[in-house]
């Protein structure tokens, strides 16, 4: 659908490995999705190396279409109940896309937006194409038009030059943001990238400590997000993984719901009342009816 990346983040090897950004046409993606719909697939996750950059086509990589065109076209494909947008750069997650998802029945209110650092100094060193104010604005708009939206965040800690103050700036920024969970990665040197040549290498021990601190913050954010939904009804799509007799499903806004394994529920949408978060961090739920 979309491959490659034209950006040059100083920690990333993907542009070298995958080449420039390029995509199929909206029509070609729609046809593939229509094919999947006939096989009984209910949910599709849109992925790409730099998904929001969708639309550069052909040998000349002309921008004939964009990601918003794709989202609108897919919304009209019958037979698919759910689309999720996977990781999308904040500067490419436009107002149009956010507002469209807010009124769509098929695009789920779930976003995964890489931040990488809450320090503008570090974002500059990373060669990211936005600063923290833009990120905060994306979160603000999403929550304004979809108050129950789930927002996941990627963060890298221990990037070269990240002082204790820079890390605390990131911590405070994330603590204040209305987000739902974090994916935290300790910085790791990659060959043929600029970042390892930057001054201010952060010790492995410090990278590890900062990772632990942000993972604790993530748990706090997630529990708070889940707790906001206790007592509400939601449609849950169950998956086929079973652990110790328990299966899991997801609400539109990506709350992980646990239920006693029932093979007839696999791949089914069920309307449930969310009750409480269990010690495993899953939402418990009770039945209120089955969707046709
Ligand atoms: S981190 Fe993402 S946006 Fe940056 S160069 Fe790598 S693939 Fe591109």
């Amino acid at each position: 659908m979309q491959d490659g990346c034209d950006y040059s983040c100083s920690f990333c090897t993907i542009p070298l490995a995958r080449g420039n950004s390029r995509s199929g046409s909206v029509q070609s993606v729609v046809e593939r999705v229509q094919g999947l719909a006939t096989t009984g697939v209910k949910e599709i996750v849109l992925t790409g190396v730099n998904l929001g950059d969708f639309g550069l086509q052909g040998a000349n990589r002309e921008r004939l279409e964009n990601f918003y065109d794709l989202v609108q076209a897919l919304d009209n494909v019958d037979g698919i109940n759910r689309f999720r947008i996977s990781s999308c750069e904040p500067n490419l997650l436009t107002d149009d896309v956010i507002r469209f998802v807010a009124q769509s029945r098929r695009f789920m209110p779930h976003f995964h937006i890489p931040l990488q650092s809450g320090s503008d100094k570090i974002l500059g060193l990373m060669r990211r194409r936005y600063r923290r104010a833009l990120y905060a604005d994306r979160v603000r708009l999403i929550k304004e038009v979809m108050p129950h939206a789930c927002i996941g965040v990627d963060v890298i800690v221990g990037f070269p030059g990240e002082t204790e103050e820079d890390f605390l700036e990131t911590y405070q920024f994330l603590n204040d943001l209305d987000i739902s969970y974090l994916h935290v990665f300790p910085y790791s040197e990659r060959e043929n990238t600029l970042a390892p040549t930057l001054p201010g290498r952060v010790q492995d021990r410090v990278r590890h400590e900062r990772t632990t601190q942000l993972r604790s913050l993530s748990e706090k954010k997630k529990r708070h997000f889940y707790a906001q939904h206790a007592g509400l009804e939601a449609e849950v799509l169950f998956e086929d993984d079973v652990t110790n007799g328990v299966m899991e499903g997801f609400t539109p806004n990506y709350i992980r719901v646990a239920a006693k394994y029932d093979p007839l529920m696999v791949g089914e949408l069920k309307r449930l009342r969310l009750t409480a978060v269990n010690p495993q961090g899953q939402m418990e739920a009770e039945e209120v009816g089955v969707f046709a």
Side-chain angles (χ1 to χ4, degrees):
M1 194 173 82
Q2 188 282 331
D3 199 359
C5 183
D6 291 345
Y7 288 14
S8 50
C9 302
S10 60
F11 54 82
C12 181
T13 55
I14 285 177
L16 257 178
R18 311 291 300 223
N20 285 327
S21 176
R22 67 239 179 235
S23 315
S25 64
V26 167
Q27 187 55 32
S28 68
V29 180
V30 165
E31 284 167 12
R32 239 177 102 195
V33 168
Q34 282 168 334
L36 287 170
T38 64
T39 67
V41 166
K42 289 201 167 76
E43 176 168 321
I44 288 179
V45 181
L46 306 184
T47 60
V49 169
N50 190 347
L51 182 62
D53 198 33
F54 177 91
L56 295 169
Q57 293 166 28
N60 296 332
R61 298 196 312 122
E62 273 181 275
R63 182 170 297 287
L64 303 173
E65 296 167 315
N66 62 32
F67 186 54
Y68 182 41
D69 298 327
L70 177 69
V71 167
Q72 291 175 96
L74 289 176
D75 201 51
N76 290 319
V77 177
D78 288 332
I80 301 293
N81 299 73
R82 294 178 164 194
F83 289 102
R84 286 187 198 276
I85 298 171
S86 73
S87 191
C88 182
E89 291 291 296
N91 49 305
L92 297 175
L93 188 58
T94 61
D95 287 17
D96 284 343
V97 170
I98 293 171
R99 291 186 190 282
F100 187 83
V101 170
Q103 55 78 53
S104 164
R105 283 191 310 117
R106 292 194 170 122
F107 273 84
M108 298 293 102
H110 174 205
F111 297 86
H112 194 91
I113 320 171
L115 168 67
Q116 310 307 17
S117 175
S119 152
D120 280 347
K121 180 192 103 181
I122 299 297
L123 288 173
L125 292 171
M126 288 176 164
R127 300 199 165 174
R128 302 288 287 167
R129 296 204 184 184
Y130 55 87
R131 295 297 179 262
R132 54 190 254 151
L134 180 139
Y135 195 96
D137 183 66
R138 299 296 76 197
V139 172
R140 182 200 53 74
L141 178 60
I142 290 169
K143 295 305 263 196
E144 181 186 311
V145 295
M146 288 167 273
H148 290 298
C150 177
I151 303 177
V153 185
D154 286 336
V155 197
I156 296 172
V157 292
F159 188 81
E162 185 187 70
T163 62
E164 191 63 21
E165 290 72 37
D166 299 328
F167 172 71
L168 288 175
E169 207 184 329
T170 294
Y171 188 98
Q172 198 57 50
F173 182 65
L174 288 165
N175 194 37
D176 293 345
L177 272 186
D178 194 0
I179 48 114
S180 320
Y181 64 89
L182 307 170
H183 284 170
V184 188
F185 306 93
Y187 169 71
S188 138
E189 286 81 359
R190 296 275 182 263
E191 273 181 35
N192 301 316
T193 58
L194 183 70
T197 69
L198 296 173
R201 181 184 184 280
V202 178
Q203 289 176 15
D204 291 348
R205 178 186 55 79
V206 175
R207 294 183 205 185
H208 179 72
E209 284 167 8
R210 292 177 184 171
T211 301
T212 304
Q213 286 182 56
L214 281 190
R215 287 189 178 150
S216 298
L217 178 63
S218 176
E219 194 54 30
K220 188 181 104 177
K221 290 280 184 188
K222 190 187 121 184
R223 283 187 176 264
H224 176 69
F225 180 64
Y226 277 26
Q228 287 175 322
H229 292 78
L232 303 181
E233 287 183 19
E235 202 180 39
V236 181
L237 178 57
F238 281 96
E239 303 192 338
D240 56 3
D241 290 343
V242 192
T243 311
N244 300 327
V246 175
M247 65 195 304
E248 289 186 333
F250 288 90
T251 64
N253 57 355
Y254 211 59
I255 290 176
R256 188 184 294 268
V257 178
K260 190 163 168 289
Y261 178 60
D262 175 353
L264 296 178
M265 266 170 37
V266 173
E268 294 299 315
L269 285 160
K270 287 204 141 205
R271 186 143 195 98
L272 298 174
R273 178 170 295 104
L274 308 177
T275 53
V277 186
N278 67 21
Q280 291 75 41
Q282 301 159 313
M283 184 67 94
E284 302 278 347
E286 59 192 23
E287 201 159 330
V288 288
V290 183
F291 268 69

